[in-house]
Each structure stands twice: as C-alpha cells, then as structure tokens.
Amino acid sequence: MRSLLHLSDVHFGPLHLPELAEAVTALVERERPDVVVISGDLTQRAKPGQFRAARAWVAALGCPVVFAPGNHDVPLWRVWERLFDPFGAWRRHFSPALERDHVDSELAVVAVTTAFAWTTKHGRLRPGQIADLERRLAAAPSAATRIVVAHHPLGAVPELGAEPPARGGAAALARCAALGVELVLSGHLHHGFVVPGAGERPALVHTGTSTSSRGRGRERGRNSLNWIEVGAETTRVERRLWQPAAGRFETAERIDLPRPPRRPRR
Ligand SMILES: [Fe+2]
Ligand SMILES: [Fe+2]
C-alpha cells in the first residue's frame, strides 16, 4: 500500500494561513506519506517573497513532493513579465523546473502545467505538452500505478458550473485513459470532490485550498486536503477538512475507488 497527501492552492501571500501550513507539516511528520502532491497555486501573486516562502515550506516537508504551477503562479499585473517570462519568478525563486514528478517501482506521479502567460481562470494543455506527458508516463515502470497532477480540471464536471475545463483537457484525459492512468489530482476550484472513473477514464480527484482563506462553494471559509491510499484492490480517498476547534484536519468522507484490472497500455 502506498500513500499520497494531496494539497492544493496553498497561496503563500496575504491570504495564506500559516497555522494551517504548520498543521500540514506536522501531519506529514506524523503520518509519513510516500509522496506529497501540490496541485498548483503555490502563491497568491507570483511575488519573489511568496515563492521563497513556499520553497522553504516545501523543502521542510522532508519527503518527495510533486508539483506544477497554477494560474496564480503567473504574475497578473506585471504585464512585461506575464507576456515574456510568465514563469520567470517561479523558476528563480521556487524551482528551476516547472514540474516535478515522482517515479518509483510502484508509483508514477507525473505533473503537467495547465497555466500559461495569459492564464486567468482557465487552463490549457498544448499538443506538445500532452505528447511530453505521454512520454513520461510510457517511460515509468510497467507495474507502477499512474497518477497525473494538473492545476485546472481536465474534464467537464458539474462542480465547474459555467466554467469550461482546461483547453486540451479532453485530449489529455483520452491519452491518460489509454496509458492506464488511474487518478488525476487537481485543485483551482477551492473546493474538493471526487468523480469516480468509468471504464478506462481515470477518476478526477480535487481538493480545496489547503492553507488559505480562499475556500469557495461548499468549502467557503473551509480548508481541505486529501489522504490517498493505493491498495492492491482499491484506492481510498479520504477527504479531510480543517476543524478549527480540534486544530487538525479530520476525515469528512471516504471514497473507495476500485482499481481497474491490469491491461496492456496502448
Ligand atoms: Fe487557487
Ligand atoms: Fe487557480
């Protein structure tokens, strides 16, 4: 059994909640997930100091961390940067690479960047990015459980309301299905939910904002994260919500996703 802690939208900046970030660090120390996933929006406004604070916090987690940027990790008002070097501040102050994966003999957790220079609410995946994602998935050990991480939702779900999923998301999901991806972990919407997979289509697993006051929808004013356990027959997603009185994230919902039978990848 392997475990992942899925965080998102930590939003270092004015709306970040340091006591929740400390609670996440304590959770990681206590429960020792195999991998921590942060599905984007590390900062609120892509400022150097916000990235440096995020980098220090991520480094202190002391375990493998998978990440990709979100739309808030691109400068909104610094128009020159936004146009010509949208991820420059990320690269200089958070990570030289846009994405970080984790691959071992049992887990292949692969991240893609759906934010882009003119990103606002919506994301995008270009054909070249999908081809690169395919290459990384295909190169992983054949026995590894395949999981993809993207900030914006890749598939249309009722929780999106009138917003569309990321452009290119449907094509990416089709390739994910063909390559045996079981879960797609995302954020951006600031509330959590799970859409079970159907046939070959992977399950879509969202978490709300783990450490900011930007919760929306049914998680307005709330904070959440997902604890995910990949077992032999079942993947269990525990949706945990922050309980201020208890001072910890507590399980609100458990969703068991049957694992698909092994099949040849195309
Ligand atoms: Fe966000
Ligand atoms: Fe976002």
Side-chain angles (χ1 to χ4, degrees), residues 34-227:
D34 293 303
V35 181
V36 172
V37 171
I38 309 175
S39 50
D41 279 0
L42 276 293
T43 67
Q44 178 63 15
R45 282 289 166 249
K47 293 186 174 177
Q50 295 171 2
F51 279 126
R52 287 195 292 268
R55 183 176 64 190
W57 177 69
V58 166
L61 292 176
C63 65
V65 180
V66 171
F67 51 70
N71 50 306
H72 276 261
D73 299 317
V74 172
L76 180 61
W77 302 117
R78 304 190 314 267
V79 176
W80 190 93
E81 264 184 85
R82 186 174 170 87
L83 247 184
F84 297 108
D85 194 17
F87 296 108
W90 169 287
R91 291 186 191 280
R92 283 189 295 277
H93 302 287
F94 180 69
S95 158
L98 275 193
E99 299 142 357
R100 189 194 285 163
D101 301 344
H102 172 84
V103 178
D104 62 33
S105 60
E106 294 179 39
L107 277 180
V109 189
V110 178
V112 288
T113 300
T114 50
F116 57 103
W118 288 108
T119 189
T120 50
K121 287 195 299 189
H122 306 132
R124 159 184 100 180
L125 280 174
R126 287 182 150 156
Q129 290 177 280
I130 297 173
D132 181 54
L133 173 66
E134 283 189 66
R135 273 193 295 277
R136 285 183 280 159
L137 288 166
S142 59
T145 301
R146 283 154 164 75
I147 296 171
V148 165
V149 177
H151 179 62
H152 295 86
L154 297 187
V157 290
E159 285 78 1
L160 273 172
E163 290 183 35
R167 279 204 303 277
L173 277 180
R175 294 311 299 149
C176 285
L179 288 159
V181 172
E182 296 184 29
L183 308 174
V184 178
L185 310 185
S186 300
H188 182 61
L189 300 174
H190 293 188
H191 61 98
F193 58 90
V194 174
V195 181
E200 292 187 349
R201 198 197 67 198
L204 307 179
V205 177
H206 278 256
T207 183
T209 172
S210 301
T211 63
S212 84
S213 59
R214 305 191 70 233
R216 290 202 296 259
R218 59 180 169 270
E219 289 186 24
R220 180 173 294 278
R222 307 295 305 271
N223 296 92
S224 63
L225 48 77
N226 293 324
W227 180 266

